[in-house]
PDB file of all heavy atoms in Angstrom:
ATOM      1  N   ASP O   1     250.155 131.623 179.810  1.00  0.00           N
ATOM      2  CA  ASP O   1     248.975 132.533 179.885  1.00  0.00           C
ATOM      3  C   ASP O   1     247.775 131.817 180.053  1.00  0.00           C
ATOM      4  O   ASP O   1     247.463 130.831 179.303  1.00  0.00           O
ATOM      5  CB  ASP O   1     249.010 133.420 178.619  1.00  0.00           C
ATOM      6  CG  ASP O   1     248.114 134.776 178.859  1.00  0.00           C
ATOM      7  OD1 ASP O   1     246.935 134.555 179.135  1.00  0.00           O
ATOM      8  OD2 ASP O   1     248.721 135.785 178.760  1.00  0.00           O
ATOM      9  N   GLY O   2     246.918 132.281 180.892  1.00  0.00           N
ATOM     10  CA  GLY O   2     245.533 131.660 181.117  1.00  0.00           C
ATOM     11  C   GLY O   2     244.591 131.837 180.134  1.00  0.00           C
ATOM     12  O   GLY O   2     243.534 131.078 179.982  1.00  0.00           O
ATOM     13  N   SER O   3     244.803 132.698 179.092  1.00  0.00           N
ATOM     14  CA  SER O   3     243.893 132.989 178.015  1.00  0.00           C
ATOM     15  C   SER O   3     244.184 132.110 176.751  1.00  0.00           C
ATOM     16  O   SER O   3     245.355 132.248 176.177  1.00  0.00           O
ATOM     17  CB  SER O   3     243.932 134.490 177.642  1.00  0.00           C
ATOM     18  OG  SER O   3     243.137 134.689 176.448  1.00  0.00           O
ATOM     19  N   ASP O   4     243.234 131.321 176.303  1.00  0.00           N
ATOM     20  CA  ASP O   4     243.516 130.546 175.118  1.00  0.00           C
ATOM     21  C   ASP O   4     243.715 131.473 173.929  1.00  0.00           C
ATOM     22  O   ASP O   4     244.501 131.223 173.110  1.00  0.00           O
ATOM     23  CB  ASP O   4     242.263 129.726 174.802  1.00  0.00           C
ATOM     24  CG  ASP O   4     242.059 128.579 175.863  1.00  0.00           C
ATOM     25  OD1 ASP O   4     243.055 128.256 176.562  1.00  0.00           O
ATOM     26  OD2 ASP O   4     240.846 128.065 176.031  1.00  0.00           O
ATOM     27  N   VAL O   5     242.973 132.604 173.826  1.00  0.00           N
ATOM     28  CA  VAL O   5     243.057 133.567 172.759  1.00  0.00           C
ATOM     29  C   VAL O   5     244.503 134.173 172.687  1.00  0.00           C
ATOM     30  O   VAL O   5     245.146 134.193 171.666  1.00  0.00           O
ATOM     31  CB  VAL O   5     241.984 134.542 172.760  1.00  0.00           C
ATOM     32  CG1 VAL O   5     242.220 135.617 171.676  1.00  0.00           C
ATOM     33  CG2 VAL O   5     240.651 133.930 172.647  1.00  0.00           C
ATOM     34  N   VAL O   6     245.000 134.618 173.860  1.00  0.00           N
ATOM     35  CA  VAL O   6     246.262 135.219 173.858  1.00  0.00           C
ATOM     36  C   VAL O   6     247.335 134.215 173.416  1.00  0.00           C
ATOM     37  O   VAL O   6     248.297 134.560 172.649  1.00  0.00           O
ATOM     38  CB  VAL O   6     246.595 135.733 175.195  1.00  0.00           C
ATOM     39  CG1 VAL O   6     248.059 136.167 175.419  1.00  0.00           C
ATOM     40  CG2 VAL O   6     245.687 136.906 175.564  1.00  0.00           C
ATOM     41  N   ARG O   7     247.276 133.007 174.014  1.00  0.00           N
ATOM     42  CA  ARG O   7     248.308 131.923 173.617  1.00  0.00           C
ATOM     43  C   ARG O   7     248.217 131.654 172.094  1.00  0.00           C
ATOM     44  O   ARG O   7     249.261 131.593 171.479  1.00  0.00           O
ATOM     45  CB  ARG O   7     248.106 130.717 174.385  1.00  0.00           C
ATOM     46  CG  ARG O   7     248.506 130.805 175.903  1.00  0.00           C
ATOM     47  CD  ARG O   7     248.608 129.441 176.560  1.00  0.00           C
ATOM     48  NE  ARG O   7     247.557 128.543 176.245  1.00  0.00           N
ATOM     49  CZ  ARG O   7     246.348 128.449 176.797  1.00  0.00           C
ATOM     50  NH1 ARG O   7     246.003 129.338 177.703  1.00  0.00           N
ATOM     51  NH2 ARG O   7     245.533 127.505 176.471  1.00  0.00           N
ATOM     52  N   LYS O   8     246.999 131.635 171.556  1.00  0.00           N
ATOM     53  CA  LYS O   8     246.923 131.260 170.157  1.00  0.00           C
ATOM     54  C   LYS O   8     247.474 132.298 169.248  1.00  0.00           C
ATOM     55  O   LYS O   8     248.263 132.062 168.283  1.00  0.00           O
ATOM     56  CB  LYS O   8     245.413 131.084 169.746  1.00  0.00           C
ATOM     57  CG  LYS O   8     245.146 130.653 168.346  1.00  0.00           C
ATOM     58  CD  LYS O   8     243.648 130.425 168.048  1.00  0.00           C
ATOM     59  CE  LYS O   8     243.406 130.111 166.692  1.00  0.00           C
ATOM     60  NZ  LYS O   8     241.943 129.837 166.424  1.00  0.00           N
ATOM     61  N   VAL O   9     247.177 133.626 169.547  1.00  0.00           N
ATOM     62  CA  VAL O   9     247.637 134.744 168.686  1.00  0.00           C
ATOM     63  C   VAL O   9     249.073 134.845 168.909  1.00  0.00           C
ATOM     64  O   VAL O   9     249.857 134.966 167.792  1.00  0.00           O
ATOM     65  CB  VAL O   9     246.957 136.060 169.139  1.00  0.00           C
ATOM     66  CG1 VAL O   9     247.661 137.271 168.642  1.00  0.00           C
ATOM     67  CG2 VAL O   9     245.506 136.041 168.856  1.00  0.00           C
ATOM     68  N   ALA O  10     249.647 134.754 170.036  1.00  0.00           N
ATOM     69  CA  ALA O  10     251.081 134.836 170.387  1.00  0.00           C
ATOM     70  C   ALA O  10     251.903 133.557 169.617  1.00  0.00           C
ATOM     71  O   ALA O  10     252.821 133.849 168.922  1.00  0.00           O
ATOM     72  CB  ALA O  10     251.426 134.771 171.874  1.00  0.00           C
ATOM     73  N   ARG O  11     251.363 132.439 169.683  1.00  0.00           N
ATOM     74  CA  ARG O  11     251.972 131.308 168.930  1.00  0.00           C
ATOM     75  C   ARG O  11     252.021 131.592 167.511  1.00  0.00           C
ATOM     76  O   ARG O  11     253.064 131.268 166.879  1.00  0.00           O
ATOM     77  CB  ARG O  11     251.046 130.009 169.231  1.00  0.00           C
ATOM     78  CG  ARG O  11     251.330 129.456 170.560  1.00  0.00           C
ATOM     79  CD  ARG O  11     250.626 128.090 170.705  1.00  0.00           C
ATOM     80  NE  ARG O  11     251.098 127.116 169.713  1.00  0.00           N
ATOM     81  CZ  ARG O  11     252.145 126.228 170.130  1.00  0.00           C
ATOM     82  NH1 ARG O  11     252.501 126.214 171.285  1.00  0.00           N
ATOM     83  NH2 ARG O  11     252.597 125.372 169.271  1.00  0.00           N
ATOM     84  N   LYS O  12     250.992 132.056 166.930  1.00  0.00           N
ATOM     85  CA  LYS O  12     250.879 132.469 165.463  1.00  0.00           C
ATOM     86  C   LYS O  12     252.022 133.315 165.038  1.00  0.00           C
ATOM     87  O   LYS O  12     252.823 133.113 164.174  1.00  0.00           O
ATOM     88  CB  LYS O  12     249.631 132.916 164.957  1.00  0.00           C
ATOM     89  CG  LYS O  12     249.467 133.149 163.520  1.00  0.00           C
ATOM     90  CD  LYS O  12     248.013 133.560 163.189  1.00  0.00           C
ATOM     91  CE  LYS O  12     247.887 133.883 161.657  1.00  0.00           C
ATOM     92  NZ  LYS O  12     248.912 134.031 160.768  1.00  0.00           N
ATOM     93  N   ILE O  13     252.164 134.488 165.825  1.00  0.00           N
ATOM     94  CA  ILE O  13     253.028 135.519 165.482  1.00  0.00           C
ATOM     95  C   ILE O  13     254.529 135.003 165.715  1.00  0.00           C
ATOM     96  O   ILE O  13     255.405 135.143 164.908  1.00  0.00           O
ATOM     97  CB  ILE O  13     252.814 136.759 166.291  1.00  0.00           C
ATOM     98  CG1 ILE O  13     251.459 137.432 165.832  1.00  0.00           C
ATOM     99  CG2 ILE O  13     254.001 137.723 166.195  1.00  0.00           C
ATOM    100  CD1 ILE O  13     250.856 138.407 166.884  1.00  0.00           C
ATOM    101  N   LEU O  14     254.660 134.417 166.851  1.00  0.00           N
ATOM    102  CA  LEU O  14     256.128 133.932 167.183  1.00  0.00           C
ATOM    103  C   LEU O  14     256.582 132.759 166.369  1.00  0.00           C
ATOM    104  O   LEU O  14     257.692 132.578 166.066  1.00  0.00           O
ATOM    105  CB  LEU O  14     256.132 133.513 168.747  1.00  0.00           C
ATOM    106  CG  LEU O  14     256.000 134.839 169.586  1.00  0.00           C
ATOM    107  CD1 LEU O  14     255.636 134.393 171.040  1.00  0.00           C
ATOM    108  CD2 LEU O  14     257.157 135.778 169.607  1.00  0.00           C
ATOM    109  N   ALA O  15     255.535 131.948 165.891  1.00  0.00           N
ATOM    110  CA  ALA O  15     256.045 130.813 165.031  1.00  0.00           C
ATOM    111  C   ALA O  15     256.546 131.451 163.670  1.00  0.00           C
ATOM    112  O   ALA O  15     257.491 130.909 163.091  1.00  0.00           O
ATOM    113  CB  ALA O  15     254.841 129.891 164.857  1.00  0.00           C
ATOM    114  N   GLU O  16     255.853 132.440 163.175  1.00  0.00           N
ATOM    115  CA  GLU O  16     256.215 133.127 161.995  1.00  0.00           C
ATOM    116  C   GLU O  16     257.729 133.793 162.126  1.00  0.00           C
ATOM    117  O   GLU O  16     258.413 133.956 161.133  1.00  0.00           O
ATOM    118  CB  GLU O  16     255.370 134.280 161.567  1.00  0.00           C
ATOM    119  CG  GLU O  16     253.962 133.662 161.151  1.00  0.00           C
ATOM    120  CD  GLU O  16     252.913 134.803 160.956  1.00  0.00           C
ATOM    121  OE1 GLU O  16     253.244 135.934 161.038  1.00  0.00           O
ATOM    122  OE2 GLU O  16     251.753 134.414 160.655  1.00  0.00           O
ATOM    123  N   LEU O  17     258.065 133.988 163.341  1.00  0.00           N
ATOM    124  CA  LEU O  17     259.492 134.560 163.587  1.00  0.00           C
ATOM    125  C   LEU O  17     260.509 133.456 163.619  1.00  0.00           C
ATOM    126  O   LEU O  17     261.668 133.750 163.655  1.00  0.00           O
ATOM    127  CB  LEU O  17     259.462 135.348 164.861  1.00  0.00           C
ATOM    128  CG  LEU O  17     258.565 136.629 164.882  1.00  0.00           C
ATOM    129  CD1 LEU O  17     258.524 137.299 166.281  1.00  0.00           C
ATOM    130  CD2 LEU O  17     259.053 137.689 163.806  1.00  0.00           C
ATOM    131  N   GLY O  18     259.970 132.263 163.718  1.00  0.00           N
ATOM    132  CA  GLY O  18     261.011 131.101 163.674  1.00  0.00           C
ATOM    133  C   GLY O  18     261.243 130.454 165.050  1.00  0.00           C
ATOM    134  O   GLY O  18     262.194 129.661 165.156  1.00  0.00           O
ATOM    135  N   PHE O  19     260.459 130.675 166.124  1.00  0.00           N
ATOM    136  CA  PHE O  19     260.633 130.068 167.376  1.00  0.00           C
ATOM    137  C   PHE O  19     260.053 128.617 167.415  1.00  0.00           C
ATOM    138  O   PHE O  19     258.938 128.382 166.667  1.00  0.00           O
ATOM    139  CB  PHE O  19     259.995 130.786 168.508  1.00  0.00           C
ATOM    140  CG  PHE O  19     260.694 132.002 168.999  1.00  0.00           C
ATOM    141  CD1 PHE O  19     260.313 133.239 168.426  1.00  0.00           C
ATOM    142  CD2 PHE O  19     261.772 131.858 169.740  1.00  0.00           C
ATOM    143  CE1 PHE O  19     261.089 134.407 168.805  1.00  0.00           C
ATOM    144  CE2 PHE O  19     262.476 133.027 170.138  1.00  0.00           C
ATOM    145  CZ  PHE O  19     262.150 134.288 169.684  1.00  0.00           C
ATOM    146  N   LYS O  20     260.555 127.736 168.142  1.00  0.00           N
ATOM    147  CA  LYS O  20     259.942 126.500 168.474  1.00  0.00           C
ATOM    148  C   LYS O  20     259.176 126.816 169.739  1.00  0.00           C
ATOM    149  O   LYS O  20     259.686 127.235 170.778  1.00  0.00           O
ATOM    150  CB  LYS O  20     261.049 125.416 168.763  1.00  0.00           C
ATOM    151  CG  LYS O  20     260.406 124.151 169.217  1.00  0.00           C
ATOM    152  CD  LYS O  20     261.518 123.053 169.463  1.00  0.00           C
ATOM    153  CE  LYS O  20     260.917 121.778 169.874  1.00  0.00           C
ATOM    154  NZ  LYS O  20     261.966 120.810 170.295  1.00  0.00           N
ATOM    155  N   LEU O  21     257.870 126.512 169.662  1.00  0.00           N
ATOM    156  CA  LEU O  21     256.939 127.096 170.813  1.00  0.00           C
ATOM    157  C   LEU O  21     256.272 125.935 171.534  1.00  0.00           C
ATOM    158  O   LEU O  21     256.053 125.001 171.052  1.00  0.00           O
ATOM    159  CB  LEU O  21     255.790 127.930 170.114  1.00  0.00           C
ATOM    160  CG  LEU O  21     256.334 129.219 169.407  1.00  0.00           C
ATOM    161  CD1 LEU O  21     255.190 129.730 168.508  1.00  0.00           C
ATOM    162  CD2 LEU O  21     256.662 130.147 170.371  1.00  0.00           C
ATOM    163  N   SER O  22     256.050 126.394 172.727  1.00  0.00           N
ATOM    164  CA  SER O  22     255.227 125.544 173.685  1.00  0.00           C
ATOM    165  C   SER O  22     254.382 126.523 174.460  1.00  0.00           C
ATOM    166  O   SER O  22     254.705 127.727 174.571  1.00  0.00           O
ATOM    167  CB  SER O  22     256.045 124.718 174.645  1.00  0.00           C
ATOM    168  OG  SER O  22     256.926 125.473 175.403  1.00  0.00           O
ATOM    169  N   ASP O  23     253.311 126.045 174.967  1.00  0.00           N
ATOM    170  CA  ASP O  23     252.406 126.942 175.781  1.00  0.00           C
ATOM    171  C   ASP O  23     251.761 126.154 176.902  1.00  0.00           C
ATOM    172  O   ASP O  23     251.616 125.025 176.925  1.00  0.00           O
ATOM    173  CB  ASP O  23     251.391 127.733 174.895  1.00  0.00           C
ATOM    174  CG  ASP O  23     250.313 126.781 174.234  1.00  0.00           C
ATOM    175  OD1 ASP O  23     249.307 126.579 175.006  1.00  0.00           O
ATOM    176  OD2 ASP O  23     250.553 126.352 173.182  1.00  0.00           O
ATOM    177  N   ALA O  24     251.385 126.922 177.935  1.00  0.00           N
ATOM    178  CA  ALA O  24     250.686 126.416 179.092  1.00  0.00           C
ATOM    179  C   ALA O  24     249.658 127.427 179.516  1.00  0.00           C
ATOM    180  O   ALA O  24     249.857 128.655 179.521  1.00  0.00           O
ATOM    181  CB  ALA O  24     251.651 126.205 180.177  1.00  0.00           C
ATOM    182  N   SER O  25     248.490 126.875 180.135  1.00  0.00           N
ATOM    183  CA  SER O  25     247.546 127.749 180.711  1.00  0.00           C
ATOM    184  C   SER O  25     247.751 127.907 182.172  1.00  0.00           C
ATOM    185  O   SER O  25     247.003 128.904 182.755  1.00  0.00           O
ATOM    186  CB  SER O  25     246.092 127.166 180.337  1.00  0.00           C
ATOM    187  OG  SER O  25     245.996 125.802 181.000  1.00  0.00           O
ATOM    188  N   THR O  26     248.569 127.271 182.769  1.00  0.00           N
ATOM    189  CA  THR O  26     248.812 127.451 184.303  1.00  0.00           C
ATOM    190  C   THR O  26     250.202 127.352 184.536  1.00  0.00           C
ATOM    191  O   THR O  26     251.025 126.861 183.794  1.00  0.00           O
ATOM    192  CB  THR O  26     248.107 126.265 185.160  1.00  0.00           C
ATOM    193  OG1 THR O  26     248.734 125.097 184.817  1.00  0.00           O
ATOM    194  CG2 THR O  26     246.575 126.249 184.813  1.00  0.00           C
ATOM    195  N   GLY O  27     250.664 127.907 185.683  1.00  0.00           N
ATOM    196  CA  GLY O  27     252.086 127.835 186.181  1.00  0.00           C
ATOM    197  C   GLY O  27     252.536 126.535 186.397  1.00  0.00           C
ATOM    198  O   GLY O  27     253.634 126.087 186.060  1.00  0.00           O
ATOM    199  N   ARG O  28     251.632 125.584 186.866  1.00  0.00           N
ATOM    200  CA  ARG O  28     252.015 124.173 187.196  1.00  0.00           C
ATOM    201  C   ARG O  28     252.243 123.426 185.833  1.00  0.00           C
ATOM    202  O   ARG O  28     253.230 122.726 185.732  1.00  0.00           O
ATOM    203  CB  ARG O  28     250.778 123.493 187.890  1.00  0.00           C
ATOM    204  CG  ARG O  28     251.095 122.074 188.153  1.00  0.00           C
ATOM    205  CD  ARG O  28     250.091 121.452 189.095  1.00  0.00           C
ATOM    206  NE  ARG O  28     250.188 122.143 190.366  1.00  0.00           N
ATOM    207  CZ  ARG O  28     249.291 121.847 191.309  1.00  0.00           C
ATOM    208  NH1 ARG O  28     248.249 121.183 191.241  1.00  0.00           N
ATOM    209  NH2 ARG O  28     249.368 122.581 192.468  1.00  0.00           N
ATOM    210  N   GLU O  29     251.387 123.712 184.870  1.00  0.00           N
ATOM    211  CA  GLU O  29     251.611 123.086 183.597  1.00  0.00           C
ATOM    212  C   GLU O  29     252.926 123.572 182.972  1.00  0.00           C
ATOM    213  O   GLU O  29     253.628 122.797 182.335  1.00  0.00           O
ATOM    214  CB  GLU O  29     250.366 123.374 182.691  1.00  0.00           C
ATOM    215  CG  GLU O  29     250.338 122.818 181.278  1.00  0.00           C
ATOM    216  CD  GLU O  29     249.253 123.253 180.441  1.00  0.00           C
ATOM    217  OE1 GLU O  29     248.348 123.899 180.917  1.00  0.00           O
ATOM    218  OE2 GLU O  29     249.298 122.937 179.241  1.00  0.00           O
ATOM    219  N   ALA O  30     253.192 124.828 183.046  1.00  0.00           N
ATOM    220  CA  ALA O  30     254.322 125.442 182.496  1.00  0.00           C
ATOM    221  C   ALA O  30     255.622 124.878 183.101  1.00  0.00           C
ATOM    222  O   ALA O  30     256.556 124.548 182.462  1.00  0.00           O
ATOM    223  CB  ALA O  30     254.334 126.988 182.613  1.00  0.00           C
ATOM    224  N   LEU O  31     255.579 124.688 184.410  1.00  0.00           N
ATOM    225  CA  LEU O  31     256.780 124.197 185.082  1.00  0.00           C
ATOM    226  C   LEU O  31     257.141 122.830 184.720  1.00  0.00           C
ATOM    227  O   LEU O  31     258.252 122.384 184.494  1.00  0.00           O
ATOM    228  CB  LEU O  31     256.504 124.322 186.621  1.00  0.00           C
ATOM    229  CG  LEU O  31     257.717 123.816 187.631  1.00  0.00           C
ATOM    230  CD1 LEU O  31     258.990 124.661 187.249  1.00  0.00           C
ATOM    231  CD2 LEU O  31     257.387 123.963 189.015  1.00  0.00           C
ATOM    232  N   ALA O  32     255.944 121.954 184.586  1.00  0.00           N
ATOM    233  CA  ALA O  32     256.124 120.576 184.055  1.00  0.00           C
ATOM    234  C   ALA O  32     256.799 120.526 182.760  1.00  0.00           C
ATOM    235  O   ALA O  32     257.680 119.731 182.472  1.00  0.00           O
ATOM    236  CB  ALA O  32     254.779 119.884 184.103  1.00  0.00           C
ATOM    237  N   LEU O  33     256.421 121.437 181.810  1.00  0.00           N
ATOM    238  CA  LEU O  33     256.983 121.398 180.521  1.00  0.00           C
ATOM    239  C   LEU O  33     258.531 121.944 180.600  1.00  0.00           C
ATOM    240  O   LEU O  33     259.364 121.417 179.889  1.00  0.00           O
ATOM    241  CB  LEU O  33     256.180 122.450 179.571  1.00  0.00           C
ATOM    242  CG  LEU O  33     254.895 121.965 179.104  1.00  0.00           C
ATOM    243  CD1 LEU O  33     254.102 123.180 178.464  1.00  0.00           C
ATOM    244  CD2 LEU O  33     255.027 120.829 178.224  1.00  0.00           C
ATOM    245  N   CYS O  34     258.671 122.859 181.537  1.00  0.00           N
ATOM    246  CA  CYS O  34     260.160 123.382 181.664  1.00  0.00           C
ATOM    247  C   CYS O  34     260.969 122.254 182.361  1.00  0.00           C
ATOM    248  O   CYS O  34     262.270 122.157 181.929  1.00  0.00           O
ATOM    249  CB  CYS O  34     260.222 124.570 182.642  1.00  0.00           C
ATOM    250  SG  CYS O  34     259.577 126.104 181.860  1.00  0.00           S
TER     251      CYS O  34
END
């Protein structure tokens, strides 16, 4: 997601659910992580 705020909020909630998280602000960055 291009929004820092959206990624931060989602990370906080999803970490509490027990996920191992990664995030990216662009598709290119996300693909490299994948």
Side-chain angles (χ1 to χ4, degrees):
D1 194 299
S3 168
D4 293 338
V5 173
V6 169
R7 289 194 320 274
K8 182 179 178 180
V9 169
R11 281 185 69 93
K12 180 178 181 344
I13 295 166
L14 293 165
E16 290 171 4
L17 295 176
F19 283 100
K20 179 180 177 186
L21 295 163
S22 59
D23 65 89
S25 60
T26 67
R28 180 174 294 177
E29 182 184 353
L31 184 60
L33 290 170
C34 286

